[in-house]
Each structure stands twice: as C-alpha cells, then as structure tokens.
C-alpha cells in the first residue's frame, strides 16, 4: 500500500465516524448501531494500510491524524452518553414492572395484607 492508500483509509474511517457521531448526537441509537460493521471494516482497512506504508512527516498526514483523534474522542463521549441514557431507560422500566404486576388482594392468616413476595424472574428485550 502507498501513503495515499493510508490517507484514503484514514479518511474513510473519519467519514464513518462522522456519520455515526451525527446519529449519536441526536440519540438515534438504531442508526448509530448500523455503523458498527462499517466502522470495524474501516478500522481494519486503516490499520492494514498504516502497517503497509510508513507514515510520512508531512502536514496532510498530521492533519488527518488530528481529525481522526478528534472524531474518536467525540465518538467515545457520545457512546458513553448513549449508554447512560440507555441505562436510565432500563432503570425506569425495571422500577415500573413491580407496579404493573398484578397485586394480590388476599389477606394473610393474621388478617393483614401478606408480605410482598419477590418478583418472579422477568426477561426484557427490545427491538427496533
């Protein structure tokens, strides 16, 4: 591979990160998830190109490296934000489940409401 191929591979990864970051900024997690395989392929191609061509000490190479570093940092921040949001949603659902479960209207042996039993095991799933 040539230096040009390494720069092109870096630019390709930057393009994927820009698209994924745009989806993450608006919290479109379904769209962001669609970039996972593209991001992996672009990363693999960039790493292979960089191994095959020794990086030059020029302005274009350094500018692409700075651009990639900034996009990676933003991607990390946006992914962390999305995970926090997802955890909050799951916590809300987990808190709502006991209230949505049917309540027993029976009384215990002493005439009091029976102690609330632990919830039965539940499984949650989501789909887009």
């Amino acid at each position: 591979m040539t230096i040009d191929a390494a720069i092109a591979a870096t630019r390709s990864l930057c393009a994927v990160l820009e698209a994924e970051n745009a989806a993450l900024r608006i919290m479109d997690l379904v769209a962001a998830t669609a970039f996972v395989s593209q991001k992996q392929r672009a990363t693999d191609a960039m790493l292979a190109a960089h191994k095959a061509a020794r990086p030059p000490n020029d302005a274009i190479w350094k500018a692409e490296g700075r651009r990639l570093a900034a996009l990676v940092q933003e991607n990390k921040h946006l992914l962390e934000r999305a995970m926090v949001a997802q955890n909050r949603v799951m916590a809300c659902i987990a808190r709502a489940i006991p209230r949505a479960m049917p309540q027993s209207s029976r009384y215990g042996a002493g005439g009091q409401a029976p102690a609330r039993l632990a919830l039965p095991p539940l499984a949650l799933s989501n789909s887009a």
Side-chain angles (χ1 to χ4, degrees), residues 5 18 22 36 40 44 47 56 59 73 78 85 90 104 112-113:
E18 286 171 338
V36 171
Q40 185 61 55
D44 292 345
L47 291 173
Q73 187 62 34
L78 292 168
M90 294 303 290
S104 172
Q112 305 144 261

Side-chain angles (χ1 to χ4, degrees), residues 25-55:
R25 268 187 230 103
I26 61 171
M27 295 298 282
D28 186 348
L29 303 183
V30 173
T33 302
F35 290 104
V36 171
S37 60
Q38 273 184 280
K39 186 166 61 170
Q40 185 61 55
R41 284 192 305 273
T43 299
D44 292 345
M46 186 200 71
L47 291 173
H50 283 241
K51 283 181 184 177
R54 186 148 189 253

